[in-house]
Amino acid sequence: MDDKFQTIGQIIGGGSSRILIREKDGSKLELGGLLVIDDADDQTLILQINDLEYRSLIPQSMHELASGMNLEGLGTNLEFMEPQLRNYIVSRSKAILHLVDGIPRIPKTLPTYFNSVRHITEKDLKFLTKPKNPLYLGDVRSGSKILNLPIYIDASEAIPHHILIPATTGRGKSNLVKVMLWSLLDLDNFGILVLDPHDEYYGRNELCLKDHPNNKNLVYYSPDAPAGTNTLVINIKSILPDHLKEIINFSSAQNDAIYRYYNTFGNEWIIKIVEGVEIQDISFKTLQVLKRKFDNILGVYFDELGQFQSRNNIFSDTAGKTTIKDVINSLEDGKIVVIDTSRLLGDAEMLVGSIITETLFNRYQRYKLEGSLNEKPKIGVVIEEAPRVLGKEVIEAQGHNIYSTIAREGRKFNIGLIAITQLVSLIPRTILANINTKIILGNEMAQERAEIIGSASQDLSDDNRTIASLDKGEAIVSSIFTKFAVPIQIPLFEEYCSEHIKESEHQNSRSKREDKNIAFI
Amino acid sequence: MVQKLEFSLGKQLGNPLFNFDDCKSYHLNKKNFHEIKPASPKRKIAFVDGGNQEIFHAPNFSIQVNRVYFSMFRNNERILPKSDIPTKIEFISMVSSEYDKDKKEVFYETSIFPSLNDYQEYLPLEKDLSFSSKERAVMLGMQRYDIERVSSIARRFAEWSFSRHVIQNEMEDDDMIVRDGSLQISFANEDKYSEEAFKAAQKENVYFTGLSKTSHLYTDTGLSLIGSIQEFAEECGIDHDLWCYYPIADRWAPTHKAVIMIAKFNSCSDRIFRFEILREQFQKMDEYAILNVLSSIADNSKDFCFPGYPYGLIDADLRARVRSEELDIYRTLILSEISKKPELLNKFNFHVRATDSHDILNNIAGD
Ligand SMILES: Nc1ncnc2c1ncn2[C@@H]1O[C@H](COP(=O)(O)OP(=O)(O)OP(=O)(O)O)[C@@H](O)[C@H]1O
Ligand SMILES: [Mg+2]
């Protein structure tokens, strides 16, 4: 028999929430591993291991004595006979899927007592098919074994319903986003805005999105733009008081002042403040504070010669008038727009994002009213450190911003977030509940795990240990669009994309050869 | 009380005592200690044990669940049967007694019901399980056949009969079989089954042996034989890691065709046990062969849980034992059959008691 179908354990008890399986000696069951029970005809149960423990038919005191004798060099004449029979491992598993004729159901019955258990194979999961707009996440994983079975979610459903990527640092969040964006570059009908504070997605000096065979779908903005890409310059006049207010905490005096300047000078309001132009009723002190704030946040000031200056060259009083519009047009064309915000301070980065998303959101609201929304590409906004805009404290202090608005209402307008965070606990439950796909990577913080589990689309209450033990690139996809919380292995991006490039070159040369053949005939 | 103890235990060790005319016992002698040298013989060893528990009980009858089990080891690895013999057989037995006023004797009758038809061939015949209290060989140490003693008859006979099949189907030249307990028989007709087993062993040249956890042997000063020999070993300064002591007695009884020895099978254990080899085989063996058989047992007696006692017998005891949890299942099964006949059920309810679980617990604790 195929080695894959070998019995690796047997049901020895438990109940619907925890099925106990005795491990066949040497089977090396793993936490998070997927097991299969072939029950009566065409009924298959898929289980996942939540916990493993030692059990023995020999009393514990006997083990302790034996180990003492071993350690102290006594009792060399003694051993445990048939140790594989008397000492063993029992796994606590949960039934996650019940397949009837290959069709997945929620498990409601227990498998036959004493039934034997085997490893999962690709065939068992053949109901996991490739959706129409495949967004690749990784391959199905059983414990640490990787199955030859790619997992896709349908981008057109998953993106407007938002995606959350929670993990502690270094567990592979950025890597996952690269893999996802790579896969999205193959799809034409998705506009993705990527605010990239680490300038890590375009691939200025290394293999990354720019090397995608379909890189015509990629648009890159950077203050230091390589040839053929776009310089990130934003006209200071495109910033409205509302944009700033969402991001920055102003006192009420400052708030008043801002609107007075805006009403007085229109879109030159920031320039006038930074220049120090005084207006009636606004105290000099408030003006000075605002000047300093704009310098701190946007890096804009007036020099001794009375010239407007931008410390990061991103905000200009003359150039960049079309930048926001261009970005939005690209998104509306179904492109991935990566904005290198590495030179911007956090608030300025969010501000740039807000201006774009807010404008876009307004446009999509209008499309909906006009009834043309469905002709437009669906939009995703990738934000790192999401609590900066989705955090409880931020929302409480400054009210809802465009990101939290998208989280709550974006779905209606086909705009979704792809939010990355190390700290889920900072995001309010109401927002988490609106995020319908979570790609959970490793997390060693118990409180964070509790929060992730509490907001997942499937019951992951038994997966605490499993989540804690996820290695780099290992993840669990919990989504209203998957039949169960699917454990996956995300490929290392560099390997995945080189593979993909090779494949597509191979295909190109083959189709060229085929062309030739045709020409020959 | 301490004084009393001192007196009782301070007696001379004495000599082995056998209350039989046909028995000659030897004086304790240092020369009778023999060293068992580790030899790790490659022979196959079969271990056989049986268990029975009462499920229903009335003054004149008893219903029992019986199980007989065997396992085999070679080099301390379990080996599975090569033939299709089951490793365990289970059956229900029903013993009933009837007093014949005229003859002034009690008749005992036993019926057996295997839980699988396939087990039938390994079981004794019902006719051999019926006898009267006056019949020949009202056996040793048993002045009367009370129903409780008699109720183990079917299991005992089945052990012999199953042993014979094990030998015939599974064992080869120079292998050995170890029974839990002694090779002594105590019921009428039991010899028929023991003899068949012995004959089969001799034919296949398989050593037929028995090992007893407890021994009811004493010395003529009233001390336990095993304790005395242990003490004697110390007195004599026996410093072998493993040893055995024989001869102890010469006895030619038709009910006990074995040579008794006392042996220590593991250096890490203080426990010594009574070990027996079928006499007819023993007589043909030289000292080397005898010690080689003993070293086979010693080799299997290294388990941490019960050092000095063969693991095979621990295993057999565990598997043969009928557990109190099982009894309810059998009770229910039987009652549901009986209840199909309301009149019978009524009568049954009047006269029969399910053996109280307290009884069972006591039995276990008393083990
Ligand atoms: N799928 C994977 N397979 C193998 N190794 C991986 C995988 N994903 C990430 N790694 C390794 O882990 C390292 C960190 O990954 P990555 O930068 O994606 O983590 P991160 O979660 O984004 O960290 P940070 O919190 O610092 O942003 C990578 O350099 C890579 O070597
Ligand atoms: Mg990262």
Side-chain angles (χ1 to χ4, degrees):
Chain A
M1 223 207 285
D2 190 336
D3 159 68
K4 279 179 175 168
F5 286 100
Q6 257 176 15
T7 296
I8 52 164
Q10 210 168 16
I11 300 173
I12 53 159
S16 51
S17 61
R18 34 143 47 203
I19 295 174
L20 300 178
I21 292 166
R22 175 177 168 147
E23 176 188 298
K24 180 174 155 53
D25 186 46
S27 300
K28 290 270 168 255
L29 298 186
E30 285 182 276
L31 220 47
L34 298 175
L35 306 175
V36 175
I37 296 167
D38 298 302
D39 226 346
D41 26 55
D42 291 322
Q43 307 249 347
T44 303
L45 206 71
I46 297 178
L47 311 176
Q48 187 168 35
I49 300 174
N50 298 127
D51 203 5
L52 294 166
E53 68 176 36
Y54 290 118
R55 293 236 183 139
S56 180
L57 301 173
I58 299 163
Q60 179 61 19
S61 57
M62 208 54 96
H63 283 289
E64 289 171 18
L65 177 65
S67 132
M69 292 178 86
N70 257 335
L71 294 171
E72 307 309 330
L74 306 164
T76 45
N77 270 336
L78 298 178
E79 58 191 80
F80 284 117
M81 305 251 195
E82 297 196 286
Q84 77 285 4
L85 199 67
R86 300 155 83 199
N87 301 321
Y88 48 92
I89 290 171
V90 167
S91 83
R92 192 162 60 77
S93 308
K94 195 171 78 175
I96 52 175
L97 265 192
H98 180 195
L99 300 176
V100 182
D101 282 327
I103 298 159
R105 305 254 172 89
I106 292 169
K108 294 203 173 91
T109 55
L110 281 175
T112 315
Y113 201 71
F114 231 54
N115 219 332
S116 59
V117 177
R118 61 172 171 84
H119 279 304
I120 199 161
T121 68
E122 287 81 4
K123 258 174 116 179
D124 296 311
L125 296 173
K126 58 175 186 272
F127 62 88
L128 293 171
T129 47
K130 195 169 176 171
K132 207 153 83 207
N133 301 287
L135 169 49
Y136 174 72
L137 300 177
D139 298 307
V140 176
R141 175 178 57 80
S142 168
S144 61
K145 275 186 286 295
I146 302 162
L147 271 66
N148 184 15
L149 188 70
I151 283 294
Y152 304 94
I153 46 178
D154 194 323
S156 73
E157 289 177 327
I159 290 178
H161 279 80
H162 315 294
I163 297 173
L164 182 73
I165 303 175
T168 37
T169 177
R171 293 299 182 106
K173 298 184 295 288
S174 303
N175 182 81
L176 167 62
V177 173
K178 286 179 195 170
V179 170
M180 289 168 68
L181 293 174
W182 185 270
S183 145
L184 283 164
L185 275 173
D186 276 328
L187 307 177
D188 284 329
N189 223 17
F190 294 90
I192 310 289
L193 174 66
V194 185
L195 298 170
D196 183 4
H198 306 299
D199 193 19
E200 58 187 333
Y201 296 120
Y202 175 71
R204 184 182 286 270
N205 300 315
E206 66 285 317
L207 200 59
C208 212
L209 299 184
K210 70 167 190 313
D211 303 294
H212 195 284
N214 199 19
N215 57 11
K216 66 171 172 31
N217 264 353
L218 182 70
V219 181
Y220 181 55
Y221 282 87
S222 169
D224 175 19
T229 63
N230 312 282
T231 305
L232 178 65
V233 183
I234 288 170
N235 197 286
I236 199 83
K237 293 173 195 162
S238 45
I239 303 174
L240 304 178
D242 282 353
H243 293 139
L244 270 181
K245 232 182 62 190
E246 286 183 355
I247 307 296
I248 302 156
N249 206 359
F250 291 111
S251 70
S252 62
Q254 293 162 358
N255 220 21
D256 283 351
I258 285 171
Y259 282 99
R260 286 290 305 282
Y261 272 88
Y262 182 65
N263 291 337
T264 313
F265 299 106
N267 57 15
E268 297 218 337
W269 66 283
I270 297 181
I271 299 174
K272 294 299 177 192
I273 290 175
V274 184
E275 197 180 351
V277 176
E278 290 183 63
I279 55 174
Q280 227 183 356
D281 293 342
I282 300 298
S283 79
F284 181 71
K285 200 172 133 234
T286 308
L287 182 60
Q288 289 304 313
V289 174
L290 285 175
K291 260 175 85 167
R292 212 171 45 244
K293 259 199 168 159
F294 287 159
D295 191 3
N296 283 344
I297 294 160
L298 306 175
V300 291
Y301 65 102
F302 266 73
D303 64 10
E304 306 85 50
L305 302 173
Q307 294 292 313
F308 179 87
Q309 295 293 347
S310 164
R311 294 184 200 276
N312 44 35
N313 291 327
I314 290 173
F315 297 103
S316 162
D317 57 342
T318 50
K321 284 188 180 129
T322 60
T323 306
I324 304 291
K325 206 164 76 198
D326 294 345
V327 168
I328 289 171
N329 287 341
S330 295
L331 292 170
E332 254 189 69
D333 275 349
K335 299 206 155 113
I336 294 184
V337 181
V338 175
I339 299 183
D340 164 22
T341 57
S342 59
R343 298 252 196 107
L344 290 172
L345 294 172
D347 287 338
E349 180 197 1
M350 287 298 105
L351 178 66
V352 172
S354 303
I355 299 170
I356 299 169
T357 28
E358 186 132 7
T359 318
L360 189 74
F361 190 73
N362 293 337
R363 255 204 226 181
Y364 268 57
Q365 274 180 312
R366 203 177 67 228
Y367 292 148
K368 188 171 168 114
L369 277 175
E370 291 168 357
S372 58
L373 185 64
N374 286 341
E375 297 152 26
K376 304 291 171 186
K378 296 189 174 166
I379 302 290
V381 180
V382 177
I383 35 168
E384 284 260 358
E385 292 315 321
R388 287 183 299 171
V389 285
L390 297 180
K392 288 173 204 161
E393 284 182 19
V394 183
I395 294 172
E396 271 164 28
Q398 275 125 256
H400 277 291
N401 54 54
I402 182 63
Y403 301 98
S404 62
T405 307
I406 292 178
R408 287 174 305 130
E409 300 173 36
R411 191 161 75 222
K412 287 186 275 185
F413 307 104
N414 287 346
I415 302 180
L417 297 177
I418 298 169
I420 301 165
T421 181
Q422 299 195 27
L423 297 167
V424 183
S425 58
L426 298 182
I427 302 175
R429 278 275 169 112
T430 46
I431 289 190
L432 289 177
N434 273 302
I435 303 183
N436 287 324
T437 298
K438 281 146 192 136
I439 307 170
I440 303 162
L441 292 114
N443 205 319
E444 58 268 9
M445 290 182 284
Q447 192 201 341
E448 294 304 312
R449 288 201 301 273
E451 209 61 42
I452 294 166
I453 289 167
S455 65
S457 303
Q458 278 90 9
D459 173 17
L460 299 184
S461 51
D462 295 314
D463 293 74
N464 195 10
R465 288 242 48 77
T466 315
I467 295 172
S469 71
L470 290 175
D471 227 326
K472 273 184 186 166
E474 295 181 345
I476 296 171
V477 183
S478 168
S479 166
I480 58 166
F481 305 111
T482 55
K483 300 284 192 302
F484 63 108
V486 189
I488 62 165
Q489 171 71 48
I490 302 155
L492 186 62
F493 174 74
E494 288 77 11
E495 287 170 15
Y496 167 68
C497 78
S498 344
E499 193 86 356
H500 187 257
I501 292 169
K502 247 187 272 160
E503 243 169 57
S504 74
E505 275 168 3
H506 183 70
Q507 247 166 13
N508 275 345
S509 70
R510 207 172 50 196
S511 59
K512 268 183 204 146
R513 241 180 298 133
E514 276 161 9
D515 288 349
K516 255 189 240 160
N517 284 349
I518 294 164
F520 201 75
I521 292 161
Chain B
M1 193 194 85
V2 174
Q3 266 174 9
K4 191 100 182 150
L5 256 181
E6 261 176 353
F7 171 76
S8 302
L9 298 177
K11 288 188 273 197
Q12 291 264 299
L13 291 179
N15 291 308
L17 171 72
F18 291 88
N19 286 326
F20 310 111
D21 305 338
D22 53 3
C23 180
K24 168 174 172 275
S25 63
Y26 296 101
H27 292 284
L28 288 186
N29 187 335
K30 186 176 173 181
K31 276 197 313 213
N32 293 346
F33 286 104
H34 307 268
E35 180 174 11
I36 306 174
K37 296 215 177 68
S40 307
K42 300 279 173 270
R43 65 170 55 94
K44 199 196 277 191
I45 315 176
F47 296 92
V48 181
D49 196 3
N52 62 293
Q53 283 272 6
E54 188 170 61
I55 40 177
F56 289 111
H57 169 91
N60 62 342
F61 81 78
S62 163
I63 299 181
Q64 305 268 332
V65 180
N66 303 267
R67 183 176 299 142
V68 183
Y69 170 86
F70 90 102
S71 61
M72 295 183 291
F73 289 83
R74 170 180 274 144
N75 296 331
N76 287 343
E77 305 253 341
R78 183 185 298 267
I79 28 187
L80 300 175
K82 56 181 200 276
S83 70
D84 56 6
I85 188 170
T87 54
K88 74 179 177 207
I89 52 174
E90 282 166 335
F91 58 95
I92 288 178
S93 62
M94 184 175 142
V95 186
S96 50
S97 62
E98 205 159 314
Y99 185 62
D100 187 324
K101 274 188 218 128
D102 304 331
K103 291 192 189 161
K104 295 211 158 143
E105 58 186 325
V106 188
F107 284 94
Y108 293 96
E109 231 175 50
T110 301
S111 316
I112 52 185
F113 312 92
S115 59
L116 281 180
N117 280 336
D118 290 351
Y119 298 157
Q120 191 76 59
E121 62 177 301
Y122 307 106
L123 296 176
L125 300 175
E126 286 181 351
K127 75 171 167 56
D128 293 326
L129 299 170
S130 304
F131 55 95
S132 96
S133 57
K134 286 212 174 130
E135 219 166 317
R136 163 196 68 94
V138 172
M139 301 292 172
L140 318 152
M142 219 170 39
Q143 305 320 329
R144 62 193 178 93
Y145 283 125
D146 64 42
I147 195 108
E148 247 166 78
R149 296 295 301 259
V150 175
S151 56
S152 66
I153 183 171
R155 193 256 303 160
R156 291 185 59 95
F157 283 32
E159 280 178 18
W160 292 117
S161 154
F162 195 47
S163 296
R164 171 172 67 83
H165 282 93
V166 169
I167 293 167
Q168 287 171 339
N169 290 337
E170 296 294 330
M171 314 240 79
E172 281 142 44
D173 186 55
D174 203 43
D175 288 344
M176 75 187 286
I177 183 164
V178 185
R179 242 181 78 90
D180 177 52
S182 106
L183 301 188
Q184 193 164 359
I185 54 172
S186 31
F187 289 100
N189 298 332
E190 188 171 356
D191 58 334
K192 188 173 147 191
Y193 292 89
S194 63
E195 283 303 322
E196 275 183 1
F198 295 155
K199 272 203 205 96
Q202 283 167 282
K203 178 153 177 268
E204 308 288 338
N205 197 28
V206 169
Y207 301 110
F208 205 111
T209 69
L211 187 82
S212 312
K213 271 192 286 292
T214 51
S215 158
H216 302 294
L217 298 180
Y218 302 94
T219 66
D220 52 14
T221 53
L223 292 175
S224 103
L225 178 63
I226 286 194
S228 304
I229 287 181
Q230 199 151 23
E231 204 177 329
F232 186 56
E234 215 163 275
E235 269 175 27
C236 300
I238 300 298
D239 58 1
H240 308 313
D241 271 349
L242 319 175
W243 50 256
C244 67
Y245 183 94
Y246 71 84
I248 290 168
D250 237 342
R251 182 173 170 220
W252 293 93
T255 55
H256 195 192
K257 297 190 165 179
V259 173
I260 301 176
M261 331 177 172
I262 303 294
K264 174 172 158 113
F265 290 120
N266 194 296
S267 58
C268 295
S269 164
D270 294 333
R271 269 183 260 223
I272 57 178
F273 297 101
R274 164 179 166 176
F275 182 69
E276 299 176 13
I277 302 180
L278 181 63
R279 177 186 312 283
E280 280 166 74
Q281 291 178 318
F282 181 88
Q283 282 164 339
K284 290 185 196 139
M285 294 160 82
D286 58 15
E287 183 170 323
Y288 173 81
I290 294 164
L291 292 174
N292 189 263
V293 162
L294 284 152
S295 85
S296 292
I297 301 280
D299 203 41
N300 194 260
S301 303
K302 293 177 182 164
D303 194 71
F304 264 113
C305 295
F306 198 172
Y309 186 76
Y311 176 70
L313 281 184
I314 303 175
D315 174 66
D317 173 78
L318 219 59
R319 311 279 195 102
R321 189 178 291 234
V322 179
R323 289 165 200 285
S324 20
E325 306 94 83
E326 297 173 69
L327 298 181
D328 273 337
I329 303 173
Y330 281 101
R331 272 191 203 117
T332 315
L333 273 174
I334 290 172
L335 278 178
S336 74
E337 280 305 307
I338 292 176
S339 62
K340 289 176 188 163
K341 298 183 176 165
E343 257 172 59
L344 181 60
L345 181 65
N346 208 15
K347 246 186 142 38
F348 195 86
N349 282 339
F350 271 123
H351 297 287
V352 181
R353 291 270 165 279
T355 304
D356 195 333
S357 38
H358 286 297
D359 279 1
I360 297 164
L361 290 177
N362 288 343
N363 283 346
I364 290 169
D367 259 354

